[in-house]
Amino acid sequence: MPFGREGEQEGVGLALSGGGFRAMLFHLGSFWRLNELGMLPKLSRISGVSGGSLLLGRLAVKWASLEFESGVAKNFREEIAQPVLRFSNRLVDAPAVLLGLLPWVSGARVAAGFYARHLVGRATLQDVPDEPRFVFNATHLASATGWRFSKPYMGCYRLGLVHRPRVALAVAMAASAAFPPFLSPLTLSLDPDLFEQTEGADLYSQRKLRRTVSLTDGGVYDNLGLETVWRRYRTVIASDAGAALSVKPGRFCLWTKQLMRVVDTTTEQARALRRRALVADFKEGRKDGTLWRTGTDIREYPASCPFDVHPDWRFQLSAIRTRLNPFKEEERRRLVNWGYLVSDVALRSHVVEQVEPPPSLPFPDYGFSERP
């Protein structure tokens, strides 16, 4: 079947955005609530980008170990939550960047070593389950298109596909989270004959491009991870740990400052267009599902929030850094609680409407009633 031409299917697709450790922890809270609602076994495909891919890797490698009872994984905290929380207390980006400055050392590969040691071990893409489909999204620099890693195949539509890739899972995660320019690129040396030419693969004849594949962060192409699920499933759920572009006053006379602001503006507008298009699909009945963000105003959803929430918390949590460096205990627990709470209100509003709200947060001592 041609790349990306499966057509819409019945099922549920879940997209996890990028955003470093902030995204990983926010999405962890969302998965915590999805698990309580018995929705994990109902997922057909989970698509991750950057920080979302870090959580997705742990989920993929431990999926077979989850003990489901009535759709709820009873050991979710032990197998998924606790290891991810511990990992968010590690320094990953600085040593990866510094070692990456050495000749013949790849910062992305150094980061992959951290992911292997602390999250996924020596697992390859062939060790993840067939269902749900786990997709790790990167960006192919040469063609400026999305590159997908999954168990059945990896590739991009302009080069073609490599079937049943035996790439280390940690490497796929590192490619998805190869933040440019510090942790990028991640380079794959491949046998060009492994590729299958697919419809639209206009670069297939260029063997050099197929031999050396240079990848960067998946967020460069699609920070929401939406593309691999949006046009494929009737029901789409998206967890977005991004933040709105902050206001920066000044004259912007320095070329570098002006250029960075232009890049940030262009990037934010591209992301906003994807979000608006998805929401339009929901409103016009073309899709079922919901979207929630770190900056979500909970009061905008039909379902009532079960806890008192000061409106300033969404700004406070959206402003937390996206680095891969140690997060304080309060940061970790509040981000998990926020992802849990926002996803709960969104899901009860649009996906599982006849469900009681949760009696407590994962970490009850870190509520949101007081001003941050």
Side-chain angles (χ1 to χ4, degrees):
M1 182 173 291
F3 187 91
R5 304 284 184 174
E6 290 94 332
E8 186 174 276
Q9 307 167 21
E10 290 299 322
V12 181
L14 172 62
L16 306 177
S17 79
F21 277 172
R22 182 180 74 198
M24 183 179 72
L25 292 165
F26 178 76
H27 297 323
L28 174 61
S30 299
F31 263 95
W32 205 309
R33 186 55 180 152
L34 283 163
N35 180 52
E36 290 180 351
L37 292 170
M39 293 192 65
L40 294 191
K42 299 177 182 178
L43 297 175
S44 304
R45 178 178 297 207
I46 314 174
S47 172
V49 175
S50 196
S53 286
L54 303 186
L55 174 63
L56 187 57
R58 180 66 186 183
L59 189 68
V61 82
K62 287 296 181 179
W63 187 267
S65 301
L66 294 179
E67 299 169 356
F68 287 103
E69 294 181 15
S70 301
V72 179
K74 299 300 183 181
N75 57 342
F76 177 86
R77 182 188 289 263
E78 295 78 17
E79 294 288 357
I80 307 298
Q82 291 177 350
V84 169
L85 285 165
R86 287 195 298 268
F87 186 61
S88 65
N89 194 35
R90 294 190 174 275
L91 180 61
V92 176
D93 55 8
V97 170
L98 292 174
L99 289 172
L101 297 174
L102 298 174
W104 314 113
V105 177
S106 164
R109 294 280 179 171
V110 174
F114 279 95
Y115 308 149
R117 281 194 297 276
H118 303 292
L119 290 177
V120 300
R122 297 183 178 181
T124 73
L125 289 170
Q126 297 311 303
D127 296 319
V128 307
D130 294 316
E131 295 181 357
R133 174 81 63 85
F134 291 89
V135 182
F136 302 85
N137 297 281
T139 303
H140 184 232
L141 284 166
S143 64
T145 57
W147 179 280
R148 304 177 191 178
F149 290 95
S150 65
K151 184 174 184 176
Y153 64 79
M154 69 176 181
C156 68
Y157 78 89
R158 298 192 67 187
L159 278 186
L161 302 181
V162 176
H163 292 280
R164 311 297 294 185
R166 297 198 170 275
V167 174
L169 182 56
V171 170
M173 295 160 63
S176 182
F179 186 80
F182 307 108
L183 295 175
S184 175
L186 185 140
T187 302
L188 299 176
S189 297
L190 302 173
D191 179 354
D193 295 330
L194 291 176
F195 283 79
E196 175 196 352
Q197 186 173 11
T198 53
E199 182 180 332
D202 59 311
L203 299 177
Y204 179 80
S205 61
Q206 300 186 31
R207 289 179 62 86
K208 185 181 293 186
L209 291 181
R210 288 186 279 129
R211 177 172 285 113
T212 302
V213 173
S214 293
L215 304 173
T216 193
D217 194 292
V220 174
Y221 183 74
D222 173 14
N223 192 58
L224 299 179
L226 267 177
E227 188 162 303
T228 63
V229 299
W230 188 0
R231 301 302 180 192
R232 190 158 288 115
Y233 295 103
R234 171 70 189 183
T235 302
V236 176
I237 301 172
S239 179
D240 180 10
L245 200 59
S246 61
V247 176
K248 291 187 178 181
R251 297 178 61 192
F252 297 95
C253 294
L254 289 175
W255 289 6
T256 52
K257 185 177 182 181
Q258 183 184 154
L259 179 61
M260 288 303 299
R261 190 61 173 175
V262 169
V263 171
D264 288 344
T265 302
T266 304
T267 301
E268 173 55 27
Q269 287 307 303
R271 295 173 181 177
L273 285 172
R274 287 183 186 270
R275 288 194 298 268
R276 287 198 290 268
L278 179 62
V279 171
D281 279 352
F282 291 150
K283 289 182 176 179
E284 295 172 19
R286 291 187 294 268
K287 296 287 182 183
D288 299 321
T290 189
L291 162 71
W292 59 81
R293 305 184 65 201
T294 322
T296 290
D297 185 347
I298 290 182
R299 296 169 297 182
E300 295 180 352
Y301 287 98
S304 61
C305 181
F307 310 107
D308 292 333
V309 175
H310 193 284
D312 286 354
W313 273 110
R314 60 191 177 111
F315 304 113
Q316 177 82 7
L317 295 168
S318 296
I320 292 179
R321 65 200 178 281
T322 59
R323 285 189 56 188
L324 306 180
N325 69 351
F327 275 43
K328 298 176 182 177
E329 180 177 351
E330 181 178 356
E331 291 176 317
R332 285 179 277 159
R333 295 191 172 193
R334 286 204 186 279
L335 279 168
V336 169
N337 277 355
W338 190 240
Y340 178 95
L341 183 58
V342 172
S343 63
D344 167 71
V345 176
L347 290 165
R348 286 191 294 108
S349 295
H350 300 295
V351 180
V352 286
E353 299 178 15
Q354 304 300 318
V355 172
E356 292 295 320
S360 66
L361 295 167
F363 301 103
D365 293 338
Y366 293 86
F368 304 104
S369 60
E370 301 295 328
R371 186 186 185 95

